[in-house]
Protein backbone atom coordinates (compact mmCIF):
# COMPACT_ATOMS: atom_id res chain seq x y z
CA UNK A 1 0.00 0.00 0.00
CA UNK A 2 1.36 3.40 -1.01
CA UNK A 3 1.97 5.73 1.94
CA UNK A 4 2.62 9.40 1.30
CA UNK A 5 5.34 11.29 3.13
CA UNK A 6 2.84 13.53 4.90
CA UNK A 7 0.85 10.51 6.12
CA UNK A 8 4.01 8.87 7.45
CA UNK A 9 5.04 12.10 9.19
CA UNK A 10 1.58 12.51 10.68
CA UNK A 11 1.65 8.96 12.09
CA UNK A 12 5.10 9.43 13.63
CA UNK A 13 4.10 12.79 15.13
CA UNK A 14 0.88 11.47 16.68
CA UNK A 15 2.52 8.25 17.92
CA UNK A 16 5.32 10.18 19.66
CA UNK A 17 2.86 12.65 21.17
CA UNK A 18 0.79 9.77 22.56
CA UNK A 19 3.85 7.96 23.97
CA UNK A 20 5.05 11.11 25.71
CA UNK A 21 1.51 12.09 26.75
CA UNK A 22 2.29 15.48 25.30
CA UNK A 23 -0.32 17.93 24.09
CA UNK A 24 0.33 19.84 20.86
CA UNK A 25 -0.96 22.79 18.84
CA UNK A 26 -2.08 22.98 15.24
CA UNK A 27 1.09 24.89 14.41
CA UNK A 28 3.28 22.08 15.80
CA UNK A 29 1.38 19.45 13.80
CA UNK A 30 1.60 21.52 10.61
CA UNK A 31 5.33 22.06 11.12
CA UNK A 32 5.96 18.34 11.64
CA UNK A 33 3.87 17.11 8.70
CA UNK A 34 4.25 19.84 6.10
CA UNK A 35 0.50 20.30 5.89
CA UNK A 36 -1.13 23.66 5.29
CA UNK A 37 -3.53 24.94 7.94
CA UNK A 38 -6.44 24.70 5.51
CA UNK A 39 -5.67 20.99 5.06
CA UNK A 40 -5.89 20.36 8.80
CA UNK A 41 -9.06 22.45 9.08
CA UNK A 42 -10.72 20.43 6.31
CA UNK A 43 -9.82 17.07 7.88
CA UNK A 44 -10.85 18.26 11.34
CA UNK A 45 -14.19 19.83 10.39
CA UNK A 46 -15.23 16.71 8.50
CA UNK A 47 -14.42 14.53 11.51
CA UNK A 48 -11.75 12.57 9.61
CA UNK A 49 -9.19 12.86 12.42
CA UNK A 50 -11.54 11.96 15.27
CA UNK A 51 -10.13 8.41 15.48
CA UNK A 52 -6.69 9.79 16.43
CA UNK A 53 -6.92 13.38 17.71
CA UNK A 54 -8.90 14.89 20.56
CA UNK A 55 -9.30 18.63 21.22
CA UNK A 56 -8.35 19.54 24.79
CA UNK A 57 -9.07 23.28 24.73
CA UNK A 58 -9.07 26.19 22.28
CA UNK A 59 -5.39 25.74 21.36
CA UNK A 60 -4.23 22.30 22.48
CA UNK A 61 -4.86 18.80 21.14
CA UNK A 62 -3.83 15.29 22.19
CA UNK A 63 -3.42 12.06 20.24
CA UNK A 64 -4.72 8.57 21.04
CA UNK A 65 -5.12 5.19 19.40
CA UNK A 66 -1.79 5.25 17.50
CA UNK A 67 0.40 3.16 19.80
CA UNK A 68 -1.26 -0.15 19.07
CA UNK A 69 -1.53 0.06 15.29
CA UNK A 70 0.95 -0.07 12.42
CA UNK A 71 1.61 2.66 9.94
CA UNK A 72 -0.35 0.77 7.28
CA UNK A 73 -3.34 0.34 9.60
CA UNK A 74 -3.19 4.04 10.41
CA UNK A 75 -3.25 5.04 6.74
CA UNK A 76 -6.11 2.62 6.01
CA UNK A 77 -8.19 4.09 8.83
CA UNK A 78 -7.35 7.61 7.70
CA UNK A 79 -8.33 6.72 4.14
CA UNK A 80 -11.59 5.09 5.21
CA UNK A 81 -12.47 8.12 7.33
CA UNK A 82 -12.82 10.16 4.15
CA UNK A 83 -16.04 8.25 3.59
CA UNK A 84 -17.25 8.26 7.18
CA UNK A 85 -17.09 10.19 10.41
CA UNK A 86 -15.54 8.56 13.43
CA UNK A 87 -17.88 7.93 16.36
CA UNK A 88 -17.44 10.84 18.74
CA UNK A 89 -16.10 13.19 16.07
CA UNK A 90 -18.13 16.01 17.65
CA UNK A 91 -16.95 15.29 21.23
CA UNK A 92 -14.22 17.18 23.03
CA UNK A 93 -13.75 14.65 25.81
CA UNK A 94 -11.89 11.36 25.27
CA UNK A 95 -13.96 9.87 28.08
CA UNK A 96 -17.15 10.80 26.23
CA UNK A 97 -15.86 9.17 23.03
CA UNK A 98 -14.96 6.02 24.93
CA UNK A 99 -18.42 5.89 26.52
CA UNK A 100 -20.12 6.28 23.15
CA UNK A 101 -18.18 3.31 21.77
CA UNK A 102 -19.14 1.19 24.80
CA UNK A 103 -22.77 2.33 24.53
CA UNK A 104 -22.94 1.30 20.88
CA UNK A 105 -21.40 -2.10 21.61
CA UNK A 106 -23.73 -2.81 24.53
CA UNK A 107 -26.77 -1.72 22.56
CA UNK A 108 -25.96 -3.97 19.61
CA UNK A 109 -25.16 -6.83 21.97
CA UNK A 110 -28.53 -6.44 23.70
CA UNK A 111 -30.34 -6.79 20.35
CA UNK A 112 -28.24 -9.74 19.21
CA UNK A 113 -28.83 -11.64 22.45
CA UNK A 114 -32.55 -10.91 22.58
CA UNK A 115 -33.01 -12.21 19.03
CA UNK A 116 -31.14 -15.45 19.74
CA UNK A 117 -33.95 -18.06 20.03
CA UNK A 118 -31.78 -20.68 21.74
CA UNK A 119 -31.02 -18.38 24.68
CA UNK A 120 -33.44 -19.06 27.55
CA UNK A 121 -32.52 -15.99 29.58
CA UNK A 122 -32.39 -13.56 26.67
CA UNK A 123 -34.70 -11.03 28.35
CA UNK A 124 -32.44 -10.96 31.42
CA UNK A 125 -29.32 -10.16 29.43
CA UNK A 126 -31.22 -7.71 27.23
CA UNK A 127 -32.26 -5.46 30.13
CA UNK A 128 -28.74 -5.54 31.60
CA UNK A 129 -26.92 -4.68 28.36
CA UNK A 130 -29.58 -2.22 27.26
CA UNK A 131 -29.50 -0.29 30.55
CA UNK A 132 -25.69 -0.23 30.40
CA UNK A 133 -25.89 1.24 26.89
CA UNK A 134 -28.25 4.01 28.01
CA UNK A 135 -26.12 4.82 31.06
CA UNK A 136 -22.94 5.08 28.99
CA UNK A 137 -24.63 7.14 26.29
CA UNK A 138 -26.21 9.62 28.71
CA UNK A 139 -22.96 10.04 30.62
CA UNK A 140 -21.19 10.89 27.34
CA UNK A 141 -23.88 13.48 26.60
CA UNK A 142 -23.66 14.99 30.10
CA UNK A 143 -19.86 15.18 29.86
CA UNK A 144 -20.09 17.16 26.62
CA UNK A 145 -22.84 19.33 28.08
CA UNK A 146 -21.52 20.00 31.59
CA UNK A 147 -17.97 18.60 31.80
CA UNK A 148 -16.51 15.34 33.13
CA UNK A 149 -17.11 16.26 36.79
CA UNK A 150 -20.87 16.20 36.14
CA UNK A 151 -20.98 12.37 36.07
CA UNK A 152 -19.05 11.84 39.31
CA UNK A 153 -20.39 11.84 42.85
CA UNK A 154 -18.49 13.57 45.62
CA UNK A 155 -15.66 11.38 46.88
CA UNK A 156 -16.65 9.34 49.94
CA UNK A 157 -14.68 8.60 53.08
CA UNK A 158 -12.51 6.09 51.24
CA UNK A 159 -11.71 8.68 48.58
CA UNK A 160 -13.07 6.54 45.75
CA UNK A 161 -14.74 8.48 42.94
CA UNK A 162 -18.03 6.89 41.91
CA UNK A 163 -20.14 7.83 38.91
CA UNK A 164 -23.82 8.70 39.13
CA UNK A 165 -26.45 6.05 38.39
CA UNK A 166 -28.59 5.68 35.28
CA UNK A 167 -31.54 7.05 37.24
CA UNK A 168 -29.50 10.16 38.11
CA UNK A 169 -28.57 10.59 34.43
CA UNK A 170 -32.22 10.40 33.43
CA UNK A 171 -33.27 12.94 36.07
CA UNK A 172 -30.55 15.33 34.89
CA UNK A 173 -31.13 15.04 31.16
CA UNK A 174 -34.86 14.37 30.68
CA UNK A 175 -37.88 16.14 32.09
CA UNK A 176 -40.04 14.09 34.42
CA UNK A 177 -42.87 14.08 31.83
CA UNK A 178 -40.66 12.60 29.11
CA UNK A 179 -41.99 9.28 27.78
CA UNK A 180 -38.45 8.32 26.79
CA UNK A 181 -37.45 8.70 30.44
CA UNK A 182 -40.50 6.72 31.59
CA UNK A 183 -39.64 3.92 29.17
CA UNK A 184 -36.05 3.62 30.41
CA UNK A 185 -37.11 3.87 34.06
CA UNK A 186 -39.52 1.00 33.55
CA UNK A 187 -36.80 -1.16 32.00
CA UNK A 188 -34.46 -0.20 34.86
CA UNK A 189 -37.17 -1.24 37.32
CA UNK A 190 -37.48 -4.62 35.58
CA UNK A 191 -33.68 -5.03 35.71
CA UNK A 192 -33.43 -4.17 39.42
CA UNK A 193 -36.66 -5.49 40.92
CA UNK A 194 -38.27 -8.01 38.61
CA UNK A 195 -35.56 -9.70 36.56
CA UNK A 196 -36.46 -13.03 38.22
CA UNK A 197 -39.95 -12.72 36.69
CA UNK A 198 -38.71 -12.29 33.13
CA UNK A 199 -39.93 -15.51 31.61
CA UNK A 200 -40.63 -16.09 27.89
CA UNK A 201 -44.41 -16.15 28.48
CA UNK A 202 -44.64 -12.40 29.28
CA UNK A 203 -42.93 -11.20 26.11
CA UNK A 204 -46.34 -10.17 24.81
CA UNK A 205 -46.09 -7.16 27.14
CA UNK A 206 -42.38 -6.57 27.75
CA UNK A 207 -41.39 -6.70 24.08
CA UNK A 208 -43.61 -3.70 23.37
CA UNK A 209 -41.73 -1.66 25.99
CA UNK A 210 -38.35 -3.01 24.85
CA UNK A 211 -39.03 -2.20 21.18
CA UNK A 212 -39.92 1.40 21.99
CA UNK A 213 -36.72 1.58 24.03
CA UNK A 214 -34.72 0.34 21.03
CA UNK A 215 -36.23 2.97 18.72
CA UNK A 216 -35.75 5.69 21.36
CA UNK A 217 -32.08 4.78 21.77
CA UNK A 218 -31.32 4.76 18.03
CA UNK A 219 -33.07 8.11 17.60
CA UNK A 220 -31.29 9.80 20.52
CA UNK A 221 -27.91 8.23 19.72
CA UNK A 222 -27.99 9.25 16.06
CA UNK A 223 -29.22 12.76 16.92
CA UNK A 224 -26.26 13.31 19.26
CA UNK A 225 -23.48 11.53 17.35
CA UNK A 226 -24.68 12.45 13.82
CA UNK A 227 -23.82 8.85 12.86
CA UNK A 228 -26.22 5.90 12.27
CA UNK A 229 -25.87 3.26 14.96
CA UNK A 230 -26.06 0.50 12.34
CA UNK A 231 -25.54 0.38 8.59
CA UNK A 232 -28.78 1.12 6.74
CA UNK A 233 -28.50 -2.31 5.07
CA UNK A 234 -28.81 -3.96 8.50
CA UNK A 235 -31.72 -1.91 9.87
CA UNK A 236 -33.69 -5.11 10.42
CA UNK A 237 -31.55 -5.92 13.44
CA UNK A 238 -33.27 -3.07 15.29
CA UNK A 239 -36.43 -5.17 15.62
CA UNK A 240 -36.85 -7.50 18.58
CA UNK A 241 -38.67 -10.78 18.06
CA UNK A 242 -40.90 -12.66 20.51
CA UNK A 243 -44.20 -14.41 21.25
CA UNK A 244 -47.25 -12.19 21.63
CA UNK A 245 -49.64 -14.33 23.64
CA UNK A 246 -49.94 -14.94 27.38
CA UNK A 247 -50.70 -18.58 28.38
CA UNK A 248 -53.59 -19.44 30.76
CA UNK A 249 -53.01 -19.21 34.52
CA UNK A 250 -53.33 -23.00 34.87
CA UNK A 251 -50.40 -23.54 32.50
CA UNK A 252 -48.39 -20.87 34.31
CA UNK A 253 -49.13 -22.52 37.67
CA UNK A 254 -48.00 -25.89 36.35
CA UNK A 255 -44.72 -24.44 35.06
CA UNK A 256 -43.85 -21.91 37.78
CA UNK A 257 -45.89 -22.77 40.88
CA UNK A 258 -46.79 -19.93 43.25
CA UNK A 259 -44.54 -17.51 41.38
CA UNK A 260 -47.08 -17.57 38.53
CA UNK A 261 -49.20 -15.07 40.48
CA UNK A 262 -46.26 -12.64 40.72
CA UNK A 263 -45.48 -13.08 37.03
CA UNK A 264 -49.07 -12.35 36.01
CA UNK A 265 -49.20 -9.38 38.38
CA UNK A 266 -46.09 -7.94 36.69
CA UNK A 267 -47.56 -8.51 33.21
CA UNK A 268 -50.87 -6.91 34.25
CA UNK A 269 -49.21 -3.87 35.84
CA UNK A 270 -47.06 -3.33 32.74
CA UNK A 271 -50.12 -3.62 30.50
CA UNK A 272 -51.97 -1.06 32.63
CA UNK A 273 -49.05 1.38 32.38
CA UNK A 274 -48.90 0.95 28.61
CA UNK A 275 -52.59 1.82 28.31
CA UNK A 276 -52.22 4.73 30.74
CA UNK A 277 -49.24 6.31 28.95
CA UNK A 278 -50.57 5.68 25.44
CA UNK A 279 -47.31 6.93 23.89
CA UNK A 280 -45.15 5.30 21.22
CA UNK A 281 -42.00 6.33 23.08
CA UNK A 282 -43.15 4.27 26.08
CA UNK A 283 -44.48 1.14 24.34
CA UNK A 284 -45.32 0.11 20.79
CA UNK A 285 -49.11 0.04 20.18
CA UNK A 286 -50.53 -3.22 18.84
CA UNK A 287 -53.82 -1.89 17.50
CA UNK A 288 -53.00 -0.09 14.27
CA UNK A 289 -55.66 1.14 11.85
CA UNK A 290 -55.11 1.86 8.16
CA UNK A 291 -56.93 5.16 7.61
CA UNK A 292 -58.13 6.60 4.31
CA UNK A 293 -58.39 10.37 4.26
CA UNK A 294 -59.24 13.03 1.70
CA UNK A 295 -57.38 16.22 1.01
CA UNK A 296 -58.88 18.63 -1.57
CA UNK A 297 -60.99 15.79 -2.91
CA UNK A 298 -58.07 13.40 -3.37
CA UNK A 299 -57.83 10.10 -1.56
CA UNK A 300 -54.67 9.66 0.48
CA UNK A 301 -53.08 6.66 2.17
CA UNK A 302 -50.24 7.47 4.57
CA UNK A 303 -47.83 4.67 5.50
CA UNK A 304 -44.65 4.71 7.57
CA UNK A 305 -41.39 3.17 6.40
CA UNK A 306 -39.80 0.71 8.82
CA UNK A 307 -36.48 2.52 8.60
CA UNK A 308 -38.13 5.78 9.70
CA UNK A 309 -38.12 4.42 13.26
CA UNK A 310 -40.02 6.14 16.06
CA UNK A 311 -40.70 9.30 14.03
CA UNK A 312 -42.22 7.25 11.22
CA UNK A 313 -44.48 5.44 13.67
CA UNK A 314 -45.63 8.74 15.15
CA UNK A 315 -46.63 10.00 11.72
CA UNK A 316 -48.46 6.80 10.89
CA UNK A 317 -50.28 6.37 14.18
CA UNK A 318 -51.27 9.87 15.26
CA UNK A 319 -54.63 9.52 13.49
CA UNK A 320 -55.73 6.54 15.56
CA UNK A 321 -57.96 8.69 17.75
CA UNK A 322 -58.68 12.38 18.40
CA UNK A 323 -56.72 13.94 21.25
CA UNK A 324 -58.13 16.37 23.78
CA UNK A 325 -56.54 19.82 23.35
CA UNK A 326 -56.23 20.15 27.12
CA UNK A 327 -53.88 17.14 27.05
CA UNK A 328 -52.00 17.77 23.82
CA UNK A 329 -51.62 21.59 24.11
CA UNK A 330 -52.03 22.53 27.78
CA UNK A 331 -50.09 25.82 27.93
CA UNK A 332 -51.16 29.38 27.28
CA UNK A 333 -48.24 31.69 26.47
CA UNK A 334 -47.46 32.71 30.07
CA UNK A 335 -47.52 29.10 31.31
CA UNK A 336 -45.34 27.98 28.38
CA UNK A 337 -42.77 30.68 29.22
CA UNK A 338 -42.81 29.65 32.89
CA UNK A 339 -42.23 26.00 31.95
CA UNK A 340 -39.41 26.92 29.54
CA UNK A 341 -37.62 28.99 32.20
CA UNK A 342 -38.08 26.24 34.76
CA UNK A 343 -36.53 23.60 32.50
CA UNK A 344 -33.70 25.90 31.44
CA UNK A 345 -32.76 26.36 35.12
CA UNK A 346 -32.88 22.60 35.68
CA UNK A 347 -30.82 21.65 32.64
CA UNK A 348 -28.20 24.40 32.34
CA UNK A 349 -25.94 26.43 34.61
CA UNK A 350 -26.17 30.23 34.67
CA UNK A 351 -22.88 30.66 32.78
CA UNK A 352 -24.25 28.58 29.90
CA UNK A 353 -27.54 30.47 29.89
CA UNK A 354 -25.75 33.83 29.77
CA UNK A 355 -24.23 32.85 26.42
CA UNK A 356 -27.53 31.94 24.80
CA UNK A 357 -30.18 34.16 26.44
CA UNK A 358 -30.35 37.95 26.13
CA UNK A 359 -32.82 39.09 28.80
CA UNK A 360 -32.53 39.14 32.59
CA UNK A 361 -35.17 39.02 35.29
CA UNK A 362 -35.49 42.45 36.89
CA UNK A 363 -35.73 40.99 40.40
CA UNK A 364 -33.17 38.18 40.40
CA UNK A 365 -30.95 39.40 37.52
CA UNK A 366 -30.91 35.83 36.23
CA UNK A 367 -31.11 35.18 32.49
CA UNK A 368 -34.57 34.16 31.31
CA UNK A 369 -37.06 34.01 28.46
CA UNK A 370 -39.65 36.82 28.35
CA UNK A 371 -42.72 37.28 26.15
CA UNK A 372 -40.75 39.05 23.40
CA UNK A 373 -38.17 36.23 23.29
CA UNK A 374 -41.01 33.71 23.11
CA UNK A 375 -42.87 35.44 20.28
CA UNK A 376 -39.63 35.96 18.32
CA UNK A 377 -38.81 32.23 18.26
CA UNK A 378 -42.46 31.31 17.55
CA UNK A 379 -42.43 33.73 14.61
CA UNK A 380 -39.08 32.52 13.27
CA UNK A 381 -40.32 28.91 13.15
CA UNK A 382 -43.83 29.88 11.91
CA UNK A 383 -45.42 27.65 14.58
CA UNK A 384 -48.44 29.97 14.85
CA UNK A 385 -49.27 29.71 11.16
CA UNK A 386 -51.40 26.60 11.67
CA UNK A 387 -52.61 24.06 14.17
CA UNK A 388 -49.81 21.54 14.61
CA UNK A 389 -47.97 19.50 17.24
CA UNK A 390 -46.57 22.71 18.77
CA UNK A 391 -49.49 25.13 18.53
CA UNK A 392 -53.31 25.11 18.65
CA UNK A 393 -55.55 28.11 17.97
CA UNK A 394 -58.93 28.27 19.69
CA UNK A 395 -61.36 30.27 17.54
CA UNK A 396 -63.96 31.53 20.01
CA UNK A 397 -62.58 33.04 22.14
CA UNK A 398 -59.34 33.41 20.18
CA UNK A 399 -56.61 31.85 22.33
CA UNK A 400 -53.28 30.29 21.43
CA UNK A 401 -52.27 27.09 23.22
CA UNK A 402 -48.88 25.38 23.16
CA UNK A 403 -47.73 21.80 23.70
CA UNK A 404 -45.00 20.23 25.82
CA UNK A 405 -43.30 19.35 22.52
CA UNK A 406 -43.03 23.08 21.81
CA UNK A 407 -41.40 23.70 25.18
CA UNK A 408 -38.70 21.11 24.45
CA UNK A 409 -38.23 22.20 20.83
CA UNK A 410 -37.99 25.85 21.93
CA UNK A 411 -35.21 24.99 24.41
CA UNK A 412 -33.41 22.88 21.80
CA UNK A 413 -33.50 25.70 19.24
CA UNK A 414 -32.12 28.44 21.50
CA UNK A 415 -29.48 26.30 23.25
CA UNK A 416 -27.99 24.58 20.19
CA UNK A 417 -26.31 27.72 18.85
CA UNK A 418 -25.19 30.91 20.57
CA UNK A 419 -26.80 33.95 18.97
CA UNK A 420 -29.91 32.08 17.74
CA UNK A 421 -32.25 33.89 20.13
CA UNK A 422 -30.56 37.26 19.58
CA UNK A 423 -30.93 36.98 15.79
CA UNK A 424 -34.55 35.84 16.09
CA UNK A 425 -35.41 38.84 18.29
CA UNK A 426 -33.66 41.30 15.97
CA UNK A 427 -35.54 39.97 12.94
CA UNK A 428 -38.88 39.86 14.77
CA UNK A 429 -38.62 43.35 16.31
CA UNK A 430 -37.73 44.94 12.96
CA UNK A 431 -41.05 43.75 11.54
CA UNK A 432 -43.21 44.67 14.54
Amino acid sequence: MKISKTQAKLFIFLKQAEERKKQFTIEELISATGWKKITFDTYWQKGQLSDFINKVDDTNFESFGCNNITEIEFVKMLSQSKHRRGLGHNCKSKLAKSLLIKAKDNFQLSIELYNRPSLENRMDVFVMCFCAAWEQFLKAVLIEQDGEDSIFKKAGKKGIKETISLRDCLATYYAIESNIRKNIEKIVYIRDQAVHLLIPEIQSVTSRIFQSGVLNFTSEFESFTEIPIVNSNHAGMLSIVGEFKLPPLSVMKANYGDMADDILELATSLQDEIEKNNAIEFAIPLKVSLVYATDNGETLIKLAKAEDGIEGLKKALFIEKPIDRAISHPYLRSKAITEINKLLRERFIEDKLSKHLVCQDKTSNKYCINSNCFEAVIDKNKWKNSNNQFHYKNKDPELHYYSYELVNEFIKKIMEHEGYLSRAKTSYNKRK
Side-chain angles (χ1 to χ4, degrees), residues 89-225:
H89 71 92
N90 53 349
C91 294
K92 295 180 180 179
S93 166
K94 283 203 301 185
L95 178 56
K97 289 182 181 181
S98 175
L99 287 168
L100 288 178
I101 293 170
K102 288 176 176 290
K104 180 179 178 180
D105 287 345
N106 272 316
F107 170 75
Q108 292 182 345
L109 181 61
S110 71
I111 303 295
E112 289 174 24
L113 293 174
Y114 191 95
N115 288 336
R116 188 180 296 176
S118 61
L119 198 62
E120 285 291 330
N121 63 336
R122 58 192 185 137
M123 284 195 290
D124 307 44
V125 293
F126 171 83
V127 295
M128 292 175 186
C129 292
F130 187 69
C131 289
W134 265 112
E135 183 171 335
Q136 289 156 348
F137 168 66
L138 289 176
K139 284 176 178 175
V141 175
L142 292 176
I143 287 171
E144 289 301 305
Q145 179 179 290
D146 301 319
E148 292 187 1
D149 289 342
S150 65
I151 70 164
F152 289 98
K153 300 177 182 178
K154 293 181 179 178
K157 294 179 180 179
K158 296 181 180 180
I160 299 173
K161 290 183 72 176
E162 297 180 354
T163 58
I164 59 177
S165 67
L166 174 53
R167 286 188 175 87
D168 292 332
C169 293
L170 291 170
T172 302
Y173 190 66
Y174 290 111
I176 194 169
E177 299 90 348
S178 168
N179 285 312
I180 293 178
R181 173 176 170 178
K182 291 176 183 177
N183 173 271
I184 309 166
E185 286 179 333
K186 183 51 59 180
I187 297 175
V188 171
Y189 165 78
I190 293 171
R191 179 198 66 180
D192 293 346
Q193 307 296 332
V195 73
H196 61 292
L197 302 177
L198 286 180
I199 61 166
E201 285 82 354
I202 68 166
Q203 285 182 88
S204 58
V205 180
T206 57
S207 59
R208 296 171 62 186
I209 297 173
F210 295 165
Q211 183 65 74
S212 283
V214 168
L215 294 176
N216 290 337
F217 186 89
T218 58
S219 176
E220 295 288 284
F221 189 90
E222 291 176 15
S223 175
F224 178 75
T225 64

Side-chain angles (χ1 to χ4, degrees), residues 279-294:
I280 294 171
E281 295 94 341
F282 183 76
I284 295 294
L286 289 183
K287 295 178 181 178
V288 181
S289 302
L290 178 62
V291 177
Y292 294 80
T294 58

Side-chain angles (χ1 to χ4, degrees), residues 21 37 61 74 90 138 161 175 325 337 356-357 360:
K21 298 181 180 179
K37 187 175 186 300
F61 296 80
F74 171 80
N90 53 349
L138 289 176
K161 290 183 72 176
R325 192 280 310 156
I337 293 172
H356 292 260
L357 308 189
Q360 291 175 275

Side-chain angles (χ1 to χ4, degrees), residues 55-72:
K55 189 172 184 180
V56 179
D57 51 43
D58 291 338
T59 58
N60 293 305
F61 296 80
E62 59 186 0
S63 63
F64 64 96
C66 295
N67 274 342
N68 298 319
I69 60 174
T70 65
E71 188 179 72
I72 293 176

Side-chain angles (χ1 to χ4, degrees), residues 64 76 97 117 156 187-188 272 295 313 328 386 402 404:
F64 64 96
K76 282 182 178 179
K97 289 182 181 181
I187 297 175
V188 171
D272 290 343
D295 184 20
L313 281 171
S328 63
S386 64
Y402 302 94
Y404 189 75

